[in-house]
């Protein structure tokens, strides 16, 4: 419960990031928390065996999708940051 609620809280914090680096850092925390939630769902699958297995599998699938979206967002933000830094370096080297 704690790790899954942390996903939402940290994602919300990422939307108020002060810089691209801060945004990436907050999304890395989201990535860790989603992965932790997936771990606990995997434990539940082992412990519960046949009880509520469909619900747990659906939650695990959704967590995996959130993880993929988060990693993609991090990669995009890093690419954008690198491109911005490159443009700044090119612009300032002309002086």
């Amino acid at each position: 419960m704690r790790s899954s609620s942390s996903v939402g809280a940290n994602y919300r914090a990422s939307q108020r990031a002060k810089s691209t680096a801060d945004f990436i850092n907050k999304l890395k925390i989201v990535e860790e928390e989603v992965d932790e939630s997936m771990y606990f769902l995997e434990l539940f699958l082992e412990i519960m065996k046949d009880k509520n297995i469909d619900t747990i599998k659906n939650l695990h699938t959704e967590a995996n999708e959130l993880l993929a979206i988060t990693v993609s967002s991090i990669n995009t933000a890093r690419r954008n940051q690198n491109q911005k830094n490159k443009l700044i370096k090119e612009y300032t080297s002309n002086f």
Side-chain angles (χ1 to χ4, degrees), residues 2-95:
R2 198 175 341 173
S3 61
S4 62
S5 62
S6 180
V7 172
N10 283 294
Y11 176 77
R12 185 174 178 166
S14 76
Q15 299 306 295
R16 292 179 174 77
K18 294 166 184 59
S19 66
T20 303
D22 189 31
F23 175 74
I24 292 168
N25 183 55
K26 289 179 185 328
L27 282 184
K28 290 299 290 178
I29 295 169
V30 170
E31 179 184 10
E32 292 173 9
E33 296 298 331
V34 170
D35 188 58
E36 184 178 330
S37 295
M38 290 175 66
Y39 169 74
F40 287 119
L41 288 168
E42 291 162 9
L43 285 179
F44 288 146
L45 279 172
E46 289 297 317
I47 294 168
M48 301 295 280
K49 296 295 179 200
D50 295 330
K51 301 173 189 167
N52 300 320
I53 197 162
D54 290 335
T55 301
I56 296 169
K57 283 184 177 182
N58 289 338
L59 290 170
H60 190 272
T61 299
E62 186 172 343
N64 197 38
E65 291 167 357
L66 289 171
L67 181 60
I69 291 167
T70 302
V71 170
S72 179
S73 295
I74 291 167
N75 291 337
T76 299
R78 282 185 176 153
R79 262 193 315 276
N80 291 343
Q81 183 179 38
N82 290 339
Q83 188 174 22
K84 180 181 175 183
N85 290 341
K86 183 179 175 184
L87 288 172
I88 291 170
K89 186 181 269 186
E90 287 174 10
Y91 180 76
T92 57
S93 69
N94 291 330
F95 291 107

